[in-house]
Amino acid sequence: MIRVVLADDHALVRKGLASLLEAEPDMEVVGVGEDGPQALELIRELRPDVACLDIRMPGMNGIEVAEAVRELEVEVLMLTTFDLDEYVFGALEAGVAGFLLKDADPDLISHALRQVAAGRGTIDQSLTRRILREVAERRRLQPVVVRPDSGAEDVLTPRELEILRALAEGMSNADIAAHLHVEASTVKSHLARMLPKLGVASRLQAVVWAYQNRVVDLRE
C-alpha cells in the first residue's frame, strides 16, 4: 500500500483528493492537514510514502514543509495552479518529486502518486514547457557561471548526455529507447546512474540542470 498524507487549505480539495485516493486499491490516506504546520506534524508522526501538498498554505507553504522533511526521505508531490512563480522554482530547488495541477484528471492524480512513490519524478505536461521557458529566461537574465567541473561532457558519458538531451525534449523512457535503438530497461539504468552524477533527485531536475548548464536551449 502507498501511504499518503494530504494537505491543502481548501476543504473541497482535501475531501475530493481523499475520496479519490481511498477508492484506489493500492493507496491509503493516513493523514489530512489543512495548513503547513499540520502537514509537517502529520508527516513526522506518520512517515508516509508520499506527501501530497498544496504549494501555497497558511503557516508554512509546501516548499517549507518539503525542506523540513527532506531527511525523512518522504517523496513530495506538489499541487499547484497554472501560474508559475517563485513557489514553483523554490520547490524545484527543494527537491520535490513532482508537480500536479489541482484540476488534473483523477486518473492522472493516481498515476502521479504511484510514480512518485516508486521514486520516479513526474510533472503535468501542460506545465513542462512553461517551466523550461522560465528557466531559460532566468538563465538569460542571470547567466550561469561556467566552472571547470560544470561541463556536461565532464560529468556524463556520451550515452548519458544523449539521454539527458532527449529528456529535455520531453521524451519518455520508451521514446528514448526507440530513438537510441536500445531497451527501455537500458534507459532506466542510465538514468539511475546519471541523476546522482548531476546531484539531482528527479527527471525534471535533470532537465532543469540541462538548461541551466547550456546542454540544450529552447527554440521557437
Side-chain angles (χ1 to χ4, degrees):
M1 295 290 286
I2 300 172
R3 302 173 69 253
V4 183
V5 162
L6 301 174
D8 194 293
D9 60 330
H10 293 91
L12 287 177
V13 174
R14 290 196 306 273
K15 292 177 180 178
L17 280 173
S19 297
L20 170 68
L21 300 182
E22 287 288 7
E24 297 292 334
D26 58 342
M27 295 185 188
E28 178 186 8
V29 177
V30 295
V32 179
E34 62 184 39
D35 57 30
Q38 278 190 12
L40 180 57
E41 183 179 354
L42 288 169
I43 294 168
R44 284 176 170 167
E45 177 185 349
L46 301 172
R47 303 294 177 97
D49 300 304
V50 180
C52 187
L53 308 175
D54 184 3
I55 203 166
R56 297 182 182 90
M57 292 186 290
M60 296 175 72
N61 63 46
I63 300 168
E64 292 168 330
V65 175
E67 290 175 337
V69 301
R70 253 179 150 171
E71 73 280 2
L72 302 181
E73 298 183 356
V74 174
E75 300 288 357
V76 175
L77 178 64
M78 202 70 74
L79 298 174
T80 184
T81 64
F82 207 86
D83 297 324
L84 294 179
D85 53 25
E86 290 298 326
Y87 283 98
V88 174
F89 294 94
L92 277 175
E93 294 170 359
V96 303
F99 293 92
L100 199 64
L101 291 174
K102 285 190 176 184
D103 60 356
D105 183 90
D107 289 340
L108 179 59
I109 295 174
S110 301
H111 175 71
L113 278 164
R114 291 187 182 97
Q115 288 286 99
V116 169
R120 297 186 291 268
T122 187
I123 182 170
D124 193 297
Q125 291 184 352
S126 59
L127 284 173
T128 303
R129 193 160 183 82
R130 288 169 64 94
I131 288 177
L132 295 181
R133 284 191 178 282
E134 179 65 16
V135 169
E137 178 64 13
R138 287 173 177 230
R139 192 193 62 196
R140 184 183 69 80
L141 297 175
Q142 298 178 326
V144 172
V145 176
V146 179
R147 298 182 176 86
D149 62 348
S150 66
E153 293 82 0
D154 299 330
V155 177
L156 304 176
T157 66
R159 179 61 92 187
E160 288 168 346
L161 193 54
E162 284 183 297
I163 290 174
L164 179 60
R165 286 173 175 147
L167 281 179
E169 291 175 12
M171 292 188 191
S172 66
N173 284 2
D175 293 333
I176 296 171
H179 177 67
L180 299 179
H181 306 291
V182 300
E183 296 293 328
S185 59
T186 301
V187 175
K188 290 181 181 179
S189 296
H190 281 299
L191 283 171
R193 290 190 294 269
M194 183 175 72
L195 297 184
K197 288 183 181 181
L198 301 181
V200 301
S202 70
R203 294 163 62 98
L204 177 58
Q205 286 182 306
V207 172
V208 172
W209 188 97
Y211 278 84
Q212 288 177 328
N213 289 275
R214 301 179 185 275
V215 176
V216 290
D217 208 343
L218 286 170
R219 295 179 177 85
E220 294 296 337

